[in-house]
Amino acid sequence: MRRLLLALPFALLPFTVAHAHDDHDHDHGTLGAHEHGVAKLNAVLDGSTLELELDSPAMNLVGFEHAANSDADKAKVAAVRQQLEQPLTLFGLAAAAGCKEDAQVLESPLFGDTAKADDDGDEHQHGHQHSDIGAHYQFNCAAPEKLAQIDLAPLFKAFPATQKINVQLIGPNGQKGVETSPGKAVVTF
């Protein structure tokens, strides 16, 4: 499942380096900066296979980054996980493309995983750990030629604290990077 997205960081490195200086909020000098309100989405359409990989600070999705200790926090994490388990309601894909989910992997320290803690692993200057949530989906599309765009409006609506999604696309027309927002939520291949 990972073969397409493994090449993505290398294919898009020039784009990432060119835009790394635009991120001043939580930069710490790394390319994989953790910035509240901003998520990343990698989308690869290769033949009939569509892969989507969403990486977001937990703050954008659940409203906090600490371990879920209270019943209210645990309920919020469970609700967000349930939303993420239904990607066809979060990503607007053309029905005519006939995309069906083949596989999904959800990762976050909030889900009991330890692998998705922020890259630097140190406490942030505000005195708390960063927690990210990662979601990787693979779809098989019966008519991939009809998949011309992805509408992220349902994702923005489901998680209103997400103000911007930086999208990296690789598809039949090449590769590109697009910055989306609730008012500009459609990306085309």
Side-chain angles (χ1 to χ4, degrees), residues 127-189:
H128 66 272
Q129 287 291 117
H130 286 308
S131 293
D132 287 350
I133 294 177
H136 183 185
Y137 307 102
Q138 183 173 331
F139 303 90
N140 187 349
C141 301
E145 68 280 358
K146 302 213 188 244
L147 187 62
Q149 67 184 30
I150 301 172
D151 185 356
L152 300 178
L155 187 67
F156 281 112
K157 186 175 181 184
F159 304 111
T162 302
Q163 301 153 1
K164 180 169 69 170
I165 300 174
N166 293 319
V167 182
Q168 304 288 347
L169 291 159
I170 295 180
N173 298 320
Q175 70 183 47
K176 65 180 171 177
V178 180
E179 184 177 292
T180 63
S181 63
K184 194 180 97 176
V186 175
V187 292
T188 58
F189 281 101

Side-chain angles (χ1 to χ4, degrees), residues 1 9 11 21 24 43 49 54 58 67 81 87 89 92 123 128 168 182 187:
M1 179 164 86
H21 300 291
H24 298 293
T49 301
L54 178 69
R81 184 172 188 138
T89 64
E123 284 195 20
H128 66 272
Q168 304 288 347
V187 292

Side-chain angles (χ1 to χ4, degrees), residues 29-163:
T30 63
L31 291 177
H34 175 105
E35 184 180 352
H36 295 175
V38 180
K40 292 178 253 182
L41 176 69
N42 296 324
V44 179
L45 180 59
D46 184 21
S48 63
T49 301
L50 172 65
E51 291 197 48
L52 300 176
E53 187 172 59
L54 178 69
D55 187 25
S56 176
M59 182 67 73
N60 299 353
L61 307 183
V62 296
F64 57 86
E65 296 188 327
H66 57 270
N69 295 320
S70 72
D71 288 343
D73 286 353
K74 289 176 185 175
K76 182 67 175 164
V77 168
V80 165
R81 184 172 188 138
Q82 188 173 32
Q83 285 177 288
L84 292 171
E85 287 173 347
Q86 300 178 35
L88 290 172
T89 64
L90 296 174
F91 300 97
L93 306 176
C99 296
K100 304 282 186 231
E101 185 181 354
D102 274 349
Q104 74 172 244
V105 176
L106 302 178
E107 297 175 307
S108 174
L110 298 179
F111 299 153
D113 302 328
T114 55
K116 285 302 282 184
D118 195 21
D119 295 338
D120 60 17
D122 297 328
E123 284 195 20
H124 183 268
Q125 62 192 3
H126 298 300
H128 66 272
Q129 287 291 117
H130 286 308
S131 293
D132 287 350
I133 294 177
H136 183 185
Y137 307 102
Q138 183 173 331
F139 303 90
N140 187 349
C141 301
E145 68 280 358
K146 302 213 188 244
L147 187 62
Q149 67 184 30
I150 301 172
D151 185 356
L152 300 178
L155 187 67
F156 281 112
K157 186 175 181 184
F159 304 111
T162 302
Q163 301 153 1

